[in-house]
Amino acid sequence: MHDLIYLDNAATTIHKPAQVVSAVAEALCSAGNSGRGVHGASLDASRIVFETRALAAELFGAPDPSCIAFTKNSTEALNIALQGLLQPGDHVITTAAEHNSVLRPLYLLEKQGVELTILPCDEKGNFDVQGFEREIRRNTRLLVCTHGSNLTGNLTDIQAVGEIAEKKGVLLVVDASQTAGVFPLHVQEMHIDVLCFTGHKGLLGPQGTGGLVVRPGLAIRPLMSGGSGVQTYLKEHPREMPTALEAGTLNIHGLAGLRAALSWLKEQGLDSLRERELEMMWEFYRRVSDISGVRVYGDFSKNERCPIVTLNIRDYDSSRVADVLAEEYGIAVRPGAHCAPLMHQALGTVEQGAVRFSFSHGNTLEEIKKAAEAVREIAE
């Protein structure tokens, strides 16, 4: 029996700071329902929510905590943003690098009369950022793209996309699922109108947490309506942020963990943690990229990228490779299509899928060596 070598951090991080675990446990025993009373347990919950908003606003460069609306993950956040901003007759531009959490809502909206343009990716998974400007039309409402590919690890120059959006007077929605908590993100400086994030990856929080950072003054139609704890006698859901996008009871216990995670990240500093993750990623890449029969996907010409290495070994099915890694070596990775169908078309891996190794600052050099050696042995 092997000790688990966890290299599936792009799916979810499992090695959380101890403070996150204890914060969730404490909240489970003490937190009531935020905004639903003036007793101590309800006020404790309200403090958890507000302090988590404030930490998220600081991390993402939002002007005010009310810009942060919480969701259960980035998929929900992206659905709220896209379905709440687009309507029939609008035009939207996205890329082939996107996750299904962007693509599927857009395909649904396309059936409802929204016009959709998808920028292609090359064989390394890159797309031309200037393509956004070339494809803008009179009725273009917004641009939406990932900040970092969950499949290749390639980063998008969000600053450049934001400048195009601002110049052309269109909105920019960013999927920061892979980069929130890893790379600096400042929504005002980058001209981002809506930033969508999840709590359980680079932010090191619990699953079931995430949210949107919404530019002040931008009204998004709510995906859901219901209880809010305020303005009970209105027939429609309150329009003020963040209540407008938070119908029902929030995941207070999860947010307590996210608050602890955000505090820990602030203390540690993103730069030092990212440097460690990239050190692990580059060490693994150097050890596997020259193995006969191994093909690595993505663009490794720049040092700054998500800490992801995705590969295939000969013509072996990616799921079978992942099974062998788990069963014989105790290594956890992600095989298959990774919810990124258009990127697999660009890479030519639709049938085979691909094996993704994704790294955390909690990984060790010894784990990296063992994982690379496992790849070598399977290839041989």
Side-chain angles (χ1 to χ4, degrees):
M1 184 68 180
H2 300 272
D3 292 330
L4 178 67
I5 297 176
Y6 189 80
L7 300 177
D8 195 19
N9 293 282
T12 198
T13 52
I14 62 170
H15 300 303
K16 314 287 188 185
Q19 298 94 315
V20 174
V21 179
S22 59
V24 174
E26 182 179 344
L28 281 167
C29 299
S30 62
N33 202 332
S34 174
R36 271 69 168 180
V38 293
H39 52 80
S42 177
L43 294 176
D44 282 348
S46 295
R47 276 190 287 271
I48 288 170
V49 174
F50 179 78
E51 289 170 7
T52 311
R53 278 197 222 284
L55 285 165
E58 181 182 359
L59 178 65
F60 296 126
D64 186 86
S66 66
C67 297
I68 309 294
F70 290 120
T71 63
K72 65 178 178 289
N73 48 46
S74 56
T75 298
E76 184 179 14
L78 286 158
N79 271 268
I80 290 171
L82 296 174
Q83 298 193 50
L85 289 171
L86 292 166
Q87 56 189 4
D90 288 340
H91 175 233
V92 56
I93 308 171
T94 191
T95 83
E98 306 310 313
H99 190 277
N100 270 338
S101 55
V102 169
L103 295 174
R104 284 178 171 164
L106 291 181
Y107 293 148
L108 175 65
L109 288 161
E110 188 178 30
K111 289 182 179 180
Q112 298 170 359
V114 171
E115 298 173 21
L116 173 61
T117 297
I118 301 176
L119 302 180
C121 287
D122 63 20
E123 69 281 357
K124 289 188 176 181
N126 290 319
F127 61 89
D128 181 7
V129 167
Q130 297 307 313
F132 280 114
E133 185 164 6
R134 288 194 299 271
E135 295 292 343
I136 287 175
R137 308 171 186 169
R138 176 189 52 79
N139 62 331
T140 302
R141 171 70 166 152
L142 64 83
L143 318 177
V144 54
C145 68
T146 184
H147 184 208
S149 168
N150 72 311
L151 182 54
T152 65
N154 295 351
L155 278 183
T156 302
D157 186 350
I158 288 296
Q159 184 74 47
V161 180
E163 289 171 1
I164 291 170
E166 184 184 45
K167 181 173 72 171
K168 293 295 185 178
V170 299
L171 301 175
L172 173 59
V173 176
V174 172
D175 175 5
S177 299
Q178 293 299 329
T179 56
V182 180
F183 288 90
L185 282 159
H186 195 290
V187 293
Q188 297 179 86
E189 293 178 0
M190 293 177 165
H191 311 292
I192 298 171
D193 295 286
V194 184
L195 181 79
C196 300
F197 65 91
T198 195
H200 66 100
K201 300 187 183 188
L203 291 178
L204 305 176
Q207 293 177 349
T209 61
L212 310 88
V213 188
V214 181
R215 174 175 56 78
L218 178 61
I220 299 177
R221 294 187 306 276
L223 193 64
M224 299 185 298
S225 60
S228 61
V230 296
Q231 297 178 304
T232 293
Y233 295 102
L234 284 181
K235 290 186 176 181
E236 61 182 26
H237 198 75
R239 296 182 179 180
E240 295 79 18
M241 279 288 290
T243 307
L245 303 180
E246 290 181 345
T249 295
L250 292 171
N251 178 8
I252 305 296
H253 311 124
L255 292 178
L258 183 59
R259 177 183 64 175
L262 291 170
S263 296
W264 188 85
L265 286 170
K266 182 178 178 180
E267 292 169 4
Q268 299 294 316
L270 298 192
D271 292 345
S272 62
L273 297 174
R274 183 175 66 257
E275 182 179 338
R276 172 70 176 171
E277 292 178 4
L278 290 175
E279 177 187 357
M280 297 295 103
M281 183 273 294
W282 280 112
E283 181 66 27
F284 181 77
Y285 173 76
R286 283 191 289 267
R287 288 175 176 269
V288 300
S289 58
D290 63 350
I291 297 174
S292 177
V294 171
R295 180 175 180 183
V296 178
Y297 302 97
D299 186 351
F300 288 81
S301 64
K302 299 175 183 176
N303 185 61
E304 290 287 275
R305 63 190 326 280
C306 296
I308 289 171
V309 177
T310 299
L311 55 81
N312 273 318
I313 302 176
R314 304 194 185 280
D315 60 353
Y316 305 155
D317 181 80
S318 62
S319 294
R320 179 59 185 143
V321 171
D323 287 346
V324 171
L325 287 168
E327 294 166 7
E328 298 186 17
Y329 297 92
I331 298 171
V333 296
R334 168 81 185 273
H338 310 86
C339 305
L342 301 185
M343 182 65 89
H344 276 284
Q345 289 179 21
L347 300 178
T349 51
V350 171
E351 297 300 324
Q352 188 177 12
V355 185
R356 184 183 68 191
F357 296 75
S358 49
F359 306 91
S360 167
H361 46 80
N363 291 126
T364 66
L365 183 58
E366 187 61 30
E367 289 177 331
I368 301 311
K369 291 178 179 177
K370 288 181 179 179
E373 185 58 29
V375 171
R376 184 178 298 279
E377 290 180 9
I378 294 171
E380 292 175 348

